[in-house]
Amino acid sequence: MAIILGAVGGYAARKRTAEAQIGSAEEEARRIIAEAQEKSSAEKKESILEAKEEIHRMRQELERDTKEKRSELARQEKRVIQKEENLDKKIDSLEKKELLLNKKEAKLNESQAELDSMQARENAELERVAALSKEEARSILMAEVEENLKHDKAIKIKEYEAQIRDEADKKAREILSTAIQRTAAEHVAETTVSVVSLPSDDMKGRIIGREGRNIRALETLTGVDLIIDDTPEAVILSGFDPIRREIARVTLEKLIADGRIHPARIEETFKKAKIEVDEQFKVIGEQAIVEVGIQGNVNPEIIKLLGKLKYRSSYGQNVLNHSIEVAHLAGIMASELGVDVKLAKRAGLLHDIGKAPDHGMEGSHVTIGVECAKRYHENKYVVNAIAAHHGDVEPLTVEAVLVAAADAVSAARPGARRESIEIYLKRLKDLEEIAESFDGVEQCFAIQAGREIRVMVKPERVDDLSAVTLAHDIVKRIEKELDYPGQIKATIIRETRVVDYAK
């Protein structure tokens, strides 16, 4: 019984405990459910707020874009309206201009009619005062023009007569042209300075020497001025005697190569340089003789004098090249005429031999050349050709005449000798001044080395017929006032420009 009661009591106790636990669990479950509901409600509210904020932001962006598009549309509309206004203004302006032009055209027509009437009255008055009709005045004017044309015709006839006389010398001209075509020579204009290159600028100090003793010794021995300036790695030799300048150049180059520069060494080197340059004269002279083709029986001193001609110039023409050219020309003409070719070449090569000696010998180059030729026992006909090549004495042979002719051809051909730049510029200036002195001339230009003058005239003052008269008057003034070789062409240019604009 006690056991049963104990069991019943235990069961009851366990039941109460289980009921208590179940109640606690239910309460915990209700709490969890309440917390979950509360959390879910908070999240729902938060999501709703975020959604509302996103909608608000999108609405603001849409409003901003709409506002910008409306502003752009307003601006475009404003520009369109402004363009329309401008077009209206331009149309009004064009209409006003058209109206003004119509008025001006009507006024011009009235003025033209009035001018025509005045011109008719003036012509009638002129005919009354001059007692000449229009046709009679035209006849008188044409008679004057015809008289001028007769004068020009007479000039042309004289020119043709001179041309016919020139035909008498046709054979001689053919011979000269053949000789010129078969002969060519290079002419180098001589200068008064030579340049010597230095290995470095330090060499300038050694050339000058202590207190300038080296440069003084060089200038005293050679007779040439040494110019040592800021030119890098170069010394300039200045002197009017090309032979002395050549000796000074060789001396200085030898000293620079040796490196020992002092007065004693300078004097020794100068003597060696003189000997070397003398040998160069001999070599150059022999080359000239071989080139011309007169080898044999030529005095060695004559050969040296020929070599010296390489360092002489006359009016910018190298004398040795000129002598070789004269020899070839004289030889070709002698061959054409059937006379002694070798004598003509020899005389032509030696005709300017008097220009080789320095200024120590007095007299003209013809006199000195004759003395040198006689001293070295040249042929008497060669001596005569040397004496007669400038017409100082009477030529004894045809070869002497040919040498004189060849000398004139070589010296006078285009490019052989330099014309004074001052004379050339003065001729161009005078040519332009003559053209500018005429009424209606706007600009003028001397071109083709003064062989043509181009004159720009004002079209409103010079018409086409007046341009013909102007060209005639200009060439007449040029013929009267200027001295010039050949002929000068006058070209009148009359230009009319019409400008309009597409709008």
Side-chain angles (χ1 to χ4, degrees):
M1 190 65 175
I3 294 170
I4 293 171
L5 290 174
V8 171
Y11 171 75
R14 284 194 299 273
K15 185 177 180 180
R16 286 194 299 272
T17 301
E19 289 177 354
Q21 290 177 349
I22 290 171
S24 177
E26 289 177 352
E27 186 178 352
E28 182 64 22
R30 286 193 296 271
R31 185 184 64 79
I32 291 171
I33 290 170
E35 288 180 356
Q37 290 176 347
E38 184 178 353
K39 185 176 180 181
S40 174
S41 177
E43 289 178 353
K44 182 178 179 181
K45 290 180 180 180
E46 187 176 352
S47 299
I48 292 171
L49 287 175
E50 290 178 355
K52 288 181 177 180
E53 289 178 356
E54 181 67 18
I55 292 169
H56 181 67
R57 183 181 62 77
M58 292 175 67
R59 184 181 290 113
Q60 287 181 338
E61 290 180 356
L62 180 62
E63 290 176 353
R64 185 168 59 253
D65 293 342
T66 305
K67 186 177 180 180
E68 289 177 356
K69 289 181 179 180
R70 287 176 179 173
S71 300
E72 180 64 24
L73 288 173
R75 286 195 296 271
Q76 291 181 358
E77 184 179 1
K78 185 177 180 181
R79 284 198 297 270
V80 170
I81 293 171
Q82 188 175 3
K83 286 182 178 180
E84 290 178 352
E85 291 176 352
N86 291 336
L87 286 173
D88 292 339
K89 290 180 181 178
K90 287 183 178 180
I91 291 171
D92 293 339
S93 177
L94 288 173
E95 290 176 352
K96 290 178 181 178
K97 286 182 179 179
E98 185 178 2
L99 182 61
L100 182 62
L101 287 173
N102 291 334
K103 291 180 179 179
K104 286 184 177 180
E105 185 178 3
K107 191 174 181 180
L108 285 172
N109 291 333
E110 293 176 2
S111 300
Q112 185 65 39
E114 185 177 354
L115 285 173
D116 292 341
S117 176
M118 289 175 63
Q119 187 174 7
R121 290 196 299 272
E122 287 178 359
N123 289 336
E125 183 66 18
L126 285 172
E127 290 179 3
R128 186 186 66 79
V129 172
L132 292 172
S133 66
K134 188 175 182 180
E135 288 73 16
E136 291 173 340
R138 182 182 289 109
S139 300
I140 294 173
L141 182 60
M142 292 299 293
E144 291 180 359
V145 172
E146 186 176 357
E147 186 66 27
N148 289 334
L149 290 176
K150 285 182 180 179
H151 177 70
D152 293 341
K153 183 188 282 188
I155 293 175
K156 287 295 181 184
I157 291 172
K158 289 183 179 179
E159 291 178 356
Y160 292 141
E161 289 176 350
Q163 184 177 357
I164 292 172
R165 286 195 300 269
D166 292 340
E167 290 295 327
D169 299 327
K170 183 177 180 181
K171 184 61 179 177
R173 292 177 184 275
E174 289 178 355
I175 293 172
L176 287 175
S177 63
T178 302
I180 292 172
Q181 289 173 359
R182 291 171 55 186
T183 307
E186 296 181 358
H187 297 273
V188 181
E190 297 291 331
T191 61
T192 59
V193 297
S194 299
V195 180
V196 177
S197 300
L198 303 178
S200 66
D201 283 340
D202 296 338
M203 185 61 68
K204 291 182 179 180
R206 299 172 64 183
I207 292 172
I208 296 172
R210 184 180 300 172
E211 298 178 354
R213 62 177 186 173
N214 292 345
I215 193 171
R216 282 199 302 273
L218 275 167
E219 291 180 341
T220 302
L221 283 171
T222 61
V224 173
D225 294 330
L226 271 72
I227 301 173
I228 301 177
D229 54 13
D230 296 334
T231 306
E233 299 181 358
V235 172
I236 298 174
L237 307 178
S238 175
F240 290 101
D241 190 330
I243 295 177
R244 288 186 179 183
R245 203 167 65 244
E246 177 66 12
I247 295 173
R249 184 188 67 80
V250 174
T251 302
L252 189 56
E253 287 181 351
K254 286 181 174 293
L255 289 170
I256 292 169
D258 183 57
R260 295 173 294 172
I261 305 177
H262 51 81
R265 183 65 179 171
I266 290 171
E267 186 173 354
E268 179 184 348
T269 307
F270 172 71
K271 292 178 181 178
K272 292 181 180 179
K274 283 187 68 177
I275 296 172
E276 183 177 325
V277 173
D278 283 340
E279 290 297 323
Q280 287 182 11
F281 294 154
K282 184 178 178 182
V283 172
I284 293 169
E286 289 174 347
Q287 289 174 350
I289 289 172
V290 171
E291 182 177 349
V292 173
I294 58 170
Q295 300 94 319
N297 197 24
V298 181
N299 191 291
E301 294 301 322
I302 291 287
I303 294 175
K304 283 187 179 180
L305 290 175
L306 278 174
K308 285 185 177 182
L309 289 180
K310 180 180 179 181
Y311 300 95
R312 303 296 187 198
S313 63
S314 177
Y315 298 98
Q317 190 177 26
N318 184 274
V319 178
L320 179 59
N321 291 342
H322 164 67
S323 299
I324 293 172
E325 185 178 44
V326 170
H328 286 306
L329 289 169
I332 293 169
M333 290 188 287
S335 176
E336 294 285 336
L337 295 175
V339 296
D340 192 339
V341 175
K342 287 191 175 180
L343 176 61
K345 285 187 174 183
R346 190 183 188 100
L349 183 63
L350 301 181
H351 80 285
D352 271 346
I353 199 72
K355 293 181 179 179
D358 57 20
H359 305 294
M361 297 184 67
E362 296 183 357
S364 66
H365 76 281
V366 175
T367 304
I368 296 172
V370 169
E371 290 179 1
C372 291
K374 288 181 178 178
R375 183 185 308 138
Y376 300 121
H377 311 292
E378 269 297 325
N379 187 315
K380 65 177 181 178
Y381 297 119
V382 173
V383 175
N384 174 254
I386 295 172
H389 79 276
H390 280 318
D392 299 326
V393 299
E394 188 71 20
L396 301 178
T397 61
V398 176
E399 290 82 1
V401 177
L402 295 180
V403 168
D407 178 53
V409 169
S410 174
R413 65 173 178 76
R417 294 184 174 181
R418 293 193 299 259
E419 179 183 22
S420 170
I421 189 66
E422 290 82 9
I423 296 174
Y424 173 76
L425 292 177
K426 185 177 185 302
R427 187 169 75 242
L428 295 185
K429 183 179 178 182
D430 292 343
L431 192 59
E432 291 180 349
E433 286 178 353
I434 287 175
E436 288 173 349
S437 65
F438 286 86
D439 186 42
V441 174
E442 184 175 13
Q443 287 180 311
C444 62
F445 305 94
I447 62 175
Q448 298 291 335
R451 292 191 293 273
E452 181 178 354
I453 180 76
R454 291 192 178 177
V455 182
M456 310 285 291
V457 299
K458 299 175 181 177
E460 67 274 9
R461 299 180 64 178
V462 179
D463 58 18
D464 290 339
L465 292 177
S466 300
V468 177
T469 307
L470 178 62
H472 182 77
D473 294 339
I474 288 175
V475 296
K476 290 298 181 185
R477 280 277 301 278
I478 292 173
E479 291 172 356
K480 181 180 178 182
E481 299 181 12
L482 292 185
D483 293 327
Y484 51 88
Q487 61 183 9
I488 296 177
K489 175 183 177 183
T491 302
I492 307 299
I493 300 174
R494 179 177 180 269
E495 181 183 33
T496 301
R497 296 187 182 183
V498 178
V499 181
D500 201 353
Y501 295 94
K503 299 174 183 176

